[in-house]
Amino acid sequence: MSDGTGDAERKGARAARLPPGQALRREHRALHYGPVPTFREHRWDFRVMGVTETLGSHRWTWEEFGRLPTADSVSDFHCVMRFSVPDVRWRGVRAVDLVRVAPPGPEVTHVMAWGEYGYSANLPLETFLGEDVVLATHRGGEPLPPEHGFPLRLVVPRLYGWKSVKWLRAVEYMTADRRGFWEERGYHNRADAWREQRFSYQEEPGHGPPP
């Protein structure tokens, strides 16, 4: 019979890896701006646009996107509302693999991730190219639930969850930084959970373009 020591040690290890100001949760109610969109496969597409290497755009239908190489990834999810969900299993196309088939121009420094209804979030290109950044189609071994971003969402584990755009439809390559939806409404431009970058009033010179 277990005396609970092992469970306590595992819980302690998880707590030790939490960013500052976060509490551990096993699951959470999905939070998002606006209604959950309806997926219509015959109308859905995904695009890479902006300053691409060829100066043209790349487009995939849902069927074509499903033929891109996929990988599994396990990471913690950190919400700016002060909770973190440990060991979330994702499956999808790694950002580094997407960029291999749709490379940016040499002058690109940032990307804008675009979701349904015009929602957006900006990222430095080097952050987008992190080994654990995934354009996810699955969560916990199952297709994404609609409220968690089905059919496609961006997952950027180090940053607060608003940067992990749900219902992802496009990635735009940019030669300068530009604030996204929540960044224009008072959230921190960088959103590094480990540095507790929650709000724009915490920004220092160099953290981003003017609000």
Side-chain angles (χ1 to χ4, degrees):
M1 179 182 295
S2 171
D3 60 2
T5 302
D7 290 342
E9 289 176 349
R10 284 190 289 273
K11 290 179 181 178
R14 291 193 187 104
R17 76 189 193 204
L18 283 176
Q22 297 294 104
L24 194 66
R25 289 190 189 174
R26 293 303 311 177
E27 189 50 84
H28 71 284
R29 179 176 61 85
L31 304 172
H32 49 264
Y33 177 83
V36 175
T38 299
F39 173 60
R40 296 179 175 88
E41 182 176 339
H42 67 286
R43 294 176 55 183
W44 188 94
D45 63 3
F46 176 76
R47 297 174 185 267
V48 174
M49 58 191 186
V51 188
T52 66
E53 186 177 68
T54 62
L55 299 182
S57 63
H58 302 262
R59 176 184 178 274
W60 293 264
T61 64
W62 178 242
E63 181 180 359
E64 290 167 342
F65 192 87
R67 293 198 290 266
L68 292 175
T70 61
D72 293 320
S73 178
V74 178
S75 59
D76 298 344
F77 180 84
H78 307 299
C79 181
V80 72
M81 303 303 289
R82 298 187 179 276
F83 66 84
S84 295
V85 181
D87 301 323
V88 183
R89 292 190 296 125
W90 306 99
R91 183 187 308 152
V93 178
R94 297 190 309 158
V96 291
D97 292 330
L98 177 73
V99 167
R100 288 191 182 103
V101 298
E107 65 271 45
V108 170
T109 59
H110 291 77
V111 304
M112 187 73 77
W114 291 96
E116 297 280 4
Y117 308 129
Y119 180 86
S120 59
N122 56 321
L123 299 165
L125 179 62
E126 62 181 354
T127 301
F128 183 69
L129 294 178
E131 287 294 322
D132 56 357
V133 176
V134 178
L135 285 69
T137 57
H138 289 68
R139 181 179 185 269
E142 300 291 337
L144 288 167
E147 67 273 15
H148 283 287
F150 179 82
L152 186 68
R153 79 171 298 170
L154 183 64
V155 177
V156 189
R158 184 175 180 84
L159 306 187
Y160 287 122
W162 85 79
K163 295 283 191 178
S164 293
V165 175
K166 293 191 284 191
W167 311 303
L168 187 68
R169 293 298 300 271
V171 168
E172 177 188 359
Y173 294 148
M174 306 188 297
T175 59
D177 197 8
R178 190 170 81 241
R179 293 178 186 269
F181 181 89
W182 285 117
E183 293 79 17
E184 290 182 335
R185 291 162 172 79
Y187 278 23
H188 200 289
N189 192 59
R190 292 189 172 180
D192 189 324
W194 293 94
R195 297 179 179 178
E196 208 166 358
Q197 294 173 335
R198 300 180 191 272
F199 304 109
S200 59
Y201 70 78
Q202 299 170 299
E203 292 178 7
E204 299 176 3
H207 278 179

